[in-house]
Amino acid sequence: MLNRIPLYRAVRHQNRRSRSDVAGFRDAQLRKIVSHAYRNVAFYRSLLDRHGIVPEDIRGHADLACIPITTRSEIQEASLSARIADGVDPTSLLEFRTTGSTGQCLAVARTWREQKLLSLFAVRAMRSYGLRPRDVIGVPRVEVPAHPRDNQIPRRIADSLGLYRRIVIGPRAGVDQVKALYDLDSEVIQGWPTILSDIAPRWNHLRTSNGKRNAVRFVLTGGETCTPAARDNINRGFDAPVHDLYGAHETSLVAWQCAVTGEYHLSDETISVQVMRDGRIAAPGEAGQIIVTALHSFAMPFIRYNLGDVVVQGSTVCQCGSPFSTIRSIQGRTADFLSLPNGRLVHPQDIARDSYRAGHWIRNLQVVQHAIDHFELHVVPEREPTNGEIAAIRPAVAKLLGPGVSFDVVTVASIERRMDSKFRVYRSNLP
């Protein structure tokens, strides 16, 4: 009986169950959420009625294909009252807004209980890397105030007991942020990979020149794609393994990187995931759009929702022995694909990947599009490159961009970014 209770599963060790147990729990939650949405949420009741679907048609994950995929724009076009369950007071909910990197900012609402349950599942994922209750997690970024309706009593109790403390070190006038983070002596560091990659060289200098050795056990990245170059830089600078977390405001945790295989364990007990390619389920190794159903979001459900990300399909069960299904990698947002002449598309992460491979001297970079047929690669070098090294990048990227597109490599001292916003590997100057 306890295994049917989400809270019990969130606090238990994630590998103390079988694949069939995880899949059974996921399917039971699917039946609950679809039935609830049909009875209480006007948006989904209308959607299912239009397609002649009743909740009894959905018995598990395999039946989800009967339900049409919904997009962010469709959710936004619906009124708030149509998206929130009957009987739920909107003013009592915690509201989160997506970053709007697609140009479409979406308000996501959950109850306090729903949010705390999802947070516990995220902590459980971090415990798989060795996070201990007394560990301090240092976070270099601007501190975001708690939601005014977010009851902080559990957090205050945990802080008073010294449990899972998360300390934000933000930029302040007259304060060396990196040294302040280093002096925190935290066992875990967590942040956006571009910020951590920038910090890593200075951290390494403090680590090697200081008499005190700051022993970080592992580093957590998330919030944006962690490139191989950024991962390597963070690993060397912090002298610690790097583990990537993949999440979204609509669902909270989506997946966490396996420390053994490098693939990503899907959070099968909080979401039901399909990777779709050309209207079918993608085969292992194929890229496709990730479609999610949130299993614990009853106040504002998300059923067969297109997150807008492209991922690579993994295996049904991770080879490490964990009972969770996998995706192999995260390629990025579909909205971030660059438009080229003749309707061709390319993702900026592919340009970044091939550029890093061709130029091991690159510390950081950004793809800048000035016109549909003209790009620049702004590169921050680790050292002064030779003309030959700069020239070596052009043919690698030219293969991706194809004919009729001009491409220049420009070395710069730095790439502007703010601590309170995500770094974008792509910047457009198009009107």
Side-chain angles (χ1 to χ4, degrees):
M1 286 293 293
L2 283 175
N3 266 339
R4 300 178 187 177
I5 301 173
L7 179 61
Y8 177 77
R9 298 182 78 94
V11 298
R12 289 280 290 168
H13 191 284
Q14 60 187 9
N15 289 338
R16 290 178 182 167
R17 53 184 62 96
S18 64
R19 174 62 194 168
S20 61
D21 177 61
V22 169
F25 176 79
R26 176 201 61 196
D27 289 351
Q29 286 297 123
L30 265 177
R31 293 191 291 271
K32 289 180 185 177
I33 199 72
V34 172
S35 177
H36 165 82
Y38 183 79
R39 288 184 287 105
N40 298 288
V41 183
F43 175 85
Y44 285 107
R45 183 164 54 250
S46 174
L47 177 71
L48 297 182
D49 282 345
R50 286 200 310 271
H51 292 84
I53 301 166
V54 295
E56 290 73 24
D57 294 334
I58 311 301
R59 303 304 302 163
H61 178 77
D63 299 323
L64 276 176
C66 300
I67 301 176
I69 294 171
T70 55
T71 63
R72 174 176 292 192
S73 59
E74 288 174 315
I75 297 289
Q76 287 174 310
E77 287 169 6
S79 66
L80 187 63
S81 60
R83 291 187 280 135
I84 291 180
D86 294 340
V88 174
D89 179 6
T91 64
S92 69
L93 300 177
L94 307 184
E95 185 180 273
F96 308 90
R97 291 189 175 270
T98 62
T99 56
S101 59
T102 63
Q104 304 178 75
C105 185
L106 175 68
V108 178
R110 283 191 282 270
T111 66
W112 182 87
R113 289 177 182 271
E114 288 171 347
Q115 180 60 25
K116 296 311 169 188
L117 175 65
L118 294 176
S119 297
L120 287 174
F121 276 105
V123 171
R124 188 188 69 173
M126 291 188 280
R127 292 207 312 268
S128 71
Y129 301 130
L131 180 69
R132 300 178 299 213
R134 295 284 181 179
D135 283 345
V136 173
I137 304 172
V139 184
R141 62 158 296 169
V142 173
E143 186 159 15
V144 179
H147 193 281
R149 290 191 287 271
D150 187 355
N151 184 338
Q152 291 293 297
I153 292 176
R155 181 66 264 168
R156 293 192 190 104
I157 293 173
D159 285 344
S160 67
L161 297 174
L163 301 177
Y164 299 119
R165 288 173 295 165
R166 189 173 184 270
I167 300 177
V168 175
I169 303 294
R172 298 187 301 275
V175 175
D176 183 333
Q177 186 185 15
V178 180
K179 189 170 189 310
L181 184 68
Y182 183 86
D183 290 340
L184 188 62
D185 279 338
S186 53
E187 292 83 1
V188 179
I189 300 293
Q190 182 177 14
W192 290 326
T194 45
I195 289 177
L196 296 179
S197 183
D198 278 350
I199 287 174
R202 176 76 196 288
W203 186 284
N204 186 50
H205 172 75
L206 290 170
R207 184 172 58 84
T208 54
S209 63
N210 226 319
K212 176 185 67 173
R213 176 176 174 79
N214 192 317
V216 174
R217 291 208 319 281
F218 60 90
V219 178
L220 295 170
T221 59
E224 59 187 7
T225 304
C226 185
T227 65
R231 175 183 294 275
D232 182 61
N233 204 29
I234 296 166
N235 174 252
R236 286 186 287 108
F238 288 90
D239 190 29
V242 180
H243 306 301
D244 194 40
L245 303 176
Y246 172 33
H249 281 293
E250 296 91 332
T251 62
S252 190
L253 180 68
V254 174
W256 65 99
Q257 195 167 30
C258 177
V260 178
T261 67
E263 294 194 354
Y264 288 76
H265 296 161
L266 286 168
S267 186
D268 291 324
E269 292 174 311
T270 63
I271 54 173
S272 180
V273 171
Q274 297 168 304
V275 180
M276 304 298 297
R277 181 185 180 92
D278 301 327
R280 60 174 174 81
I281 300 293
E286 284 188 324
Q289 296 196 10
I290 183 167
I291 312 299
V292 300
T293 298
L295 301 180
H296 304 286
S297 295
F298 290 86
M300 181 186 282
F302 286 90
I303 298 174
R304 283 209 92 201
Y305 173 75
N306 188 338
L307 269 184
D309 289 342
V310 174
V311 302
V312 176
Q313 180 76 284
S315 53
T316 304
V317 179
C318 187
Q319 294 180 358
C320 73
S322 170
F324 300 99
S325 54
T326 71
I327 51 177
R328 291 187 182 172
S329 62
I330 302 135
Q331 292 193 341
R333 297 199 62 85
T334 54
D336 286 341
F337 280 86
L338 314 181
S339 296
L340 303 176
N342 302 322
R344 290 178 292 120
L345 297 174
V346 66
H347 200 281
Q349 291 291 353
D350 291 331
I351 297 176
R353 178 200 62 212
D354 287 1
S355 299
Y356 278 121
R357 286 177 178 173
H360 296 291
W361 49 272
I362 297 174
R363 178 181 177 187
N364 197 8
L365 58 77
Q366 187 175 59
V367 180
V368 181
Q369 185 174 19
H370 295 292
I372 196 167
D373 60 354
H374 176 54
F375 290 79
E376 284 184 348
L377 185 71
H378 291 185
V379 177
V380 179
E382 290 277 7
R383 54 172 175 77
E384 189 67 24
T386 66
N387 291 336
E389 286 175 324
I390 294 175
I393 296 176
R394 292 194 181 95
V397 175
K399 292 178 183 178
L400 291 171
L401 298 180
V405 180
S406 62
F407 175 77
D408 297 312
V409 179
V410 180
T411 58
V412 296
S414 63
I415 295 174
E416 183 181 357
R417 63 165 175 75
R418 300 186 328 182
M419 292 294 289
D420 60 348
S421 63
K422 295 180 184 179
F423 174 80
R424 308 298 295 172
V425 75
Y426 162 56
R427 177 165 60 85
S428 174
N429 290 333
L430 296 179

